[in-house]
Amino acid sequence: MTPRQNRNRDRAERGIPDATVARLPIYLRALHSLQDRGVATVSSEELAAAAGVNSAKLRKDLSHLGSYGTRGVGYEVEYLVYQISRELGLTQDWVVAIIGLGNLGRALAGYGGFASRGFRVAGLLDADDGIVGQEISGMTVEHIDRLEDLIAGHGVSIAVIATPAGAAQGVCDRVVAAGVTSVLNFAPVVLSVPEGVDVRKVDLSIELQILAFHEQRKAGGPNDHVPLPGAAGTPGTEQYVETVEA
């Protein structure tokens, strides 16, 4: 059993909900900001406000880690950073490969937050001969044909897929077959993976559409409606569908 599988099993045995796990990185980001400002202790109310949650939820989340703070003092920032980092597996080195070096892949390769958060980018790969061989953020882009060798040679734990949609599933199949069980997917497609493989999808267009929904509601709701097909002019028909531009 791998260290990550051991950690997932331990987390399940302790009963840490997935929703809590999803909020831990948000707390960690807020804590790092406090560290940068030289803050040594923080109250649950202050940390909750910085993380954008209510304090009761934050205290319950942190209690799953065995951290309850000190009445009248709050939480020790440095120790809480360690606790959350340990729970998330960030106290060890995680090796990452980025596949697809278009505009998005290049931006990801240049992101300076990987190293400071426990992630090491070991390889950049692409299928375009015009991109292969280029140096991006101090690394040489290798051909996708070397994918399996790179994964095995560097012990890649996480594959970041930033390819076009049509290529994403094939790349995913290859990284999974090579032993990678964690995938961060930026391609605009839902990936099919076997049990035991974790996929996190980042879709900017979906996030923008959700924001558009909220902006529309702030403005009083949709004003444009079209009748259902065949219903126009039919007496007594009041069914409509909203026109949504995706």
Side-chain angles (χ1 to χ4, degrees):
M1 184 172 289
T2 67
R4 187 176 69 83
Q5 290 170 327
N6 274 323
R7 193 174 62 260
N8 289 344
R9 183 191 63 187
D10 293 343
R11 181 189 300 145
E13 290 174 352
R14 293 201 308 275
I16 300 180
D18 288 342
T20 293
V21 175
R23 287 188 289 269
L24 292 180
I26 300 172
Y27 301 151
L28 187 60
R29 180 177 59 194
L31 288 163
H32 279 302
S33 178
L34 292 170
Q35 274 189 321
D36 291 342
R37 287 157 39 201
V39 176
T41 59
V42 62
S43 70
S44 59
E45 289 77 12
E46 291 168 333
L47 182 54
V53 302
N54 67 63
S55 58
K57 179 178 292 184
L58 178 137
R59 287 192 295 270
K60 183 175 181 180
D61 286 343
L62 296 184
S63 71
H64 290 296
L65 278 62
S67 186
Y68 298 92
T70 303
R71 184 177 295 277
V73 177
Y75 296 92
E76 184 181 342
V77 171
E78 184 176 357
Y79 182 61
L80 194 52
V81 165
Y82 167 74
Q83 281 189 302
I84 295 177
S85 297
R86 181 184 60 183
E87 187 60 45
L88 291 173
L90 304 182
T91 53
Q92 56 186 299
D93 189 35
W94 296 102
V95 183
V96 176
I98 299 176
I99 306 155
L101 273 298
N103 292 334
L104 179 56
R106 290 169 185 264
L108 294 170
Y111 174 56
F114 283 125
S116 62
R117 297 295 184 266
F119 301 94
R120 177 171 61 87
V121 178
L124 310 176
L125 302 110
D126 201 283
D128 188 339
D129 289 333
I131 296 176
V132 173
Q134 291 185 18
E135 186 171 301
I136 298 176
S137 300
M139 300 185 67
T140 301
V141 180
E142 300 184 64
H143 197 276
I144 191 67
D145 288 348
R146 293 210 62 247
L147 176 63
E148 288 79 6
D149 290 339
L150 187 142
I151 290 172
H154 291 274
V156 171
S157 304
I158 300 170
V160 177
I161 297 178
T163 66
Q169 184 63 60
V171 168
C172 182
D173 291 343
R174 287 179 63 183
V175 299
V176 170
V180 174
T181 56
S182 291
V183 176
L184 182 59
N185 177 33
F186 285 89
V189 64
V190 176
L191 298 176
S192 176
V193 297
E195 186 176 355
V197 176
D198 296 319
V199 176
R200 297 288 297 181
K201 179 170 174 54
V202 181
D203 193 319
L204 300 180
S205 66
I206 288 178
E207 299 303 324
L208 287 171
Q209 288 173 27
I210 292 171
L211 287 174
F213 168 85
H214 289 296
E215 284 298 312
Q216 180 177 245
R217 288 302 183 269
K218 291 174 192 175
N223 296 316
D224 296 328
H225 300 273
V226 295
L228 288 170
T234 304
T237 300
E238 296 184 22
Q239 292 179 298
Y240 294 90
V241 292
E242 298 178 7
T243 301
V244 179
E245 292 292 335

